[in-house]
Amino acid sequence: GLELSHCVGTNSLGPGGPWRSGGPCKMKRVRTVFKPEQLERLEQEFLKQQYMVGTERVDLAATLHLTETQVKVWFQNRRIKWRKQSMEQKAAKLSQFGVIQPATADSTDIKDHEEDTVDVEL
């Protein structure tokens, strides 16, 4: 993978790769911007299966002109989004019946995972 040198590179495509400098020692990864066609295909695949592994992921990445890591991270982030949406729908149904759902470990787990999402572009 890429290694980040200490406090070097002020342009986004310098020796450290596609990094942005936000000042001294503040390097941040550039967010991947997917084309609408790529997103449509990724969503189609997600509807079929929520986990894309092995040769299927390699093949999909090649078809979409993405790296395997970009596909892997997209699926990770999409699963988190799906879990969050599922929890919100469940809470909405419960609130229709006047049932108040206390905070559970599951809801805090999702919040923790959201902070761990990563956008990778190689």
Side-chain angles (χ1 to χ4, degrees), residues 71-86:
V71 172
K72 178 184 84 169
V73 171
W74 185 91
F75 268 83
Q76 289 171 342
N77 291 341
R78 186 62 180 85
R79 284 191 297 271
I80 292 167
K81 179 180 177 181
W82 178 81
R83 286 186 200 111
K84 182 179 177 184
Q85 288 171 336
S86 296

Side-chain angles (χ1 to χ4, degrees), residues 15 19 26 38-39 44-45 48 63 69 80 82 86 90 94 104:
W19 296 91
K26 292 185 181 181
Q38 292 170 324
L39 288 172
Q44 287 174 357
E45 294 299 324
K48 294 179 192 173
T63 300
T69 303
I80 292 167
W82 178 81
S86 296
K90 184 178 179 182
L94 289 174
T104 63

Side-chain angles (χ1 to χ4, degrees), residues 54-110:
T55 57
E56 291 175 331
R57 184 167 61 210
V58 171
D59 292 343
L60 181 61
T63 300
L64 298 177
H65 306 292
L66 298 169
T67 66
E68 184 180 355
T69 303
Q70 288 172 315
V71 172
K72 178 184 84 169
V73 171
W74 185 91
F75 268 83
Q76 289 171 342
N77 291 341
R78 186 62 180 85
R79 284 191 297 271
I80 292 167
K81 179 180 177 181
W82 178 81
R83 286 186 200 111
K84 182 179 177 184
Q85 288 171 336
S86 296
M87 295 285 287
E88 288 171 353
Q89 288 174 354
K90 184 178 179 182
K93 285 182 182 178
L94 289 174
S95 69
Q96 284 180 341
F97 297 108
V99 178
I100 299 172
Q101 184 181 17
T104 63
D106 289 343
S107 63
T108 56
D109 286 347
I110 289 174

